[in-house]
Amino acid sequence: MTTVVAVDGPAGSGKSSVSKAAARRLGFAYLDTGAAYRALAWHVAASGADASHASSVIDALESFDYSIGTDPDGYAVHVGGTDVTAAIREPRVSSVVSLIARVPEVRAHLTALFRSIIASTDRPGIIVEGRDITTVVAPDATVRILLTASEEARMARRSAELAGEKPADVGEQLKKRDQADSKVVDFMTAAEGVTTVDSTELDVEQTIQAVLDVITNSA
Ligand code: C5P
């Protein structure tokens, strides 16, 4: 049976890099659900639709032809044949993604897609990371983890990732996105049965180890 590891957490908690590294070490597949929401936000912008209008977003969903890699080593995101792996990380995407993620039709559509990707993996396991994986997408996952870190630590990490941007702007954007997102799904408190890993005092390697420990102890 496939081991499904669900990892939720706020922006800047390190969940993408940690989940990807853990998947690589275990020989598991890796699914970044945030990348799918970002790809749709990119598609909405590219098609000239207004991300703040739910009906325009739902229309854009009809023509959303996307593929997301699940290999932690060769991970890429395409929309209609265009490689958007780098473009979906740009601030112009980050600043509108919460608008599309709050639309219930979008969440239902992507949740169904994530479940079919999880069901069809040919590896011994898959690590799936996002905001509602432990609660909505895969509440029956073998292992469920909430990866947290203090707001200061998360902002410092995101500023380091986005070198060239003003730290104050990065912090403000991150806070705004977390506030908007947490109105839709609760990823700040662990649901029942979910193990919290707090990475505030840990470096990346220690966080990967902490996550691997939770996986080996519960899988
Ligand atoms: O994880 P990342 O920060 O790349 O996610 C981008 C956005 O996608 C989040 O800010 C949130 O709006 C949305 N998202 C979501 N549910 C998920 C994953 C991401 O709503 N499971």
Side-chain angles (χ1 to χ4, degrees):
M1 229 186 57
T2 311
T3 301
V4 178
V5 181
V7 181
D8 284 328
S13 59
K15 63 185 168 12
S16 293
S17 41
V18 167
S19 301
K20 203 188 288 178
R24 201 175 281 139
R25 290 185 201 184
L26 293 165
F28 283 12
Y30 162 70
L31 177 60
D32 174 356
T33 62
Y37 283 94
R38 286 172 178 274
L40 178 60
W42 182 91
H43 174 63
V44 167
S47 49
D50 183 346
S52 59
H53 284 139
S55 56
S56 311
V57 173
I58 294 165
D59 285 348
L61 196 55
E62 305 262 302
S63 58
F64 184 46
D65 165 25
Y66 104 107
S67 81
I68 179 168
T70 56
D71 178 351
D73 288 314
Y75 167 82
V77 184
H78 289 86
V79 175
T82 306
D83 186 337
V84 297
T85 315
I88 59 169
R89 304 286 152 200
E90 288 173 9
R92 67 188 175 95
V93 171
S94 304
S95 62
V96 296
V97 66
S98 302
L99 294 174
I100 66 112
R102 69 184 178 180
V103 179
E105 287 83 351
V106 167
R107 303 203 71 80
H109 180 95
L110 291 182
T111 295
L113 198 73
F114 300 148
R115 287 180 181 156
S116 74
I117 293 173
I118 295 168
S120 62
T121 184
D122 55 2
R123 298 211 185 195
I126 182 165
I127 302 190
V128 188
E129 56 105 341
R131 302 286 190 290
D132 61 345
I133 313 304
T134 61
T135 51
V136 178
V137 174
D140 298 332
T142 330
V143 186
R144 292 151 76 221
I145 297 172
L146 180 71
L147 190 57
T148 58
S150 71
E151 199 171 274
E152 295 74 32
R154 295 191 289 112
M155 284 186 195
R157 287 175 195 159
R158 204 28 79 85
S159 301
E161 268 172 34
L162 297 174
E165 311 248 348
K166 281 200 212 115
D169 292 351
V170 173
E172 216 30 62
Q173 278 167 19
L174 192 126
K175 238 197 262 179
K176 262 169 68 182
R177 190 149 64 87
D178 274 347
Q179 274 165 4
D181 289 340
S182 52
K183 282 185 198 147
V184 182
V185 279
D186 180 9
F187 50 84
M188 297 306 248
T189 46
E192 210 187 316
V194 174
T195 306
T196 300
V197 173
D198 185 338
S199 70
T200 308
E201 305 291 335
L202 307 179
D203 64 21
V204 179
E205 184 52 38
Q206 290 169 325
T207 313
I208 296 167
Q209 273 312 325
V211 165
L212 287 171
D213 285 349
V214 176
I215 297 172
T216 34
N217 289 334
S218 34

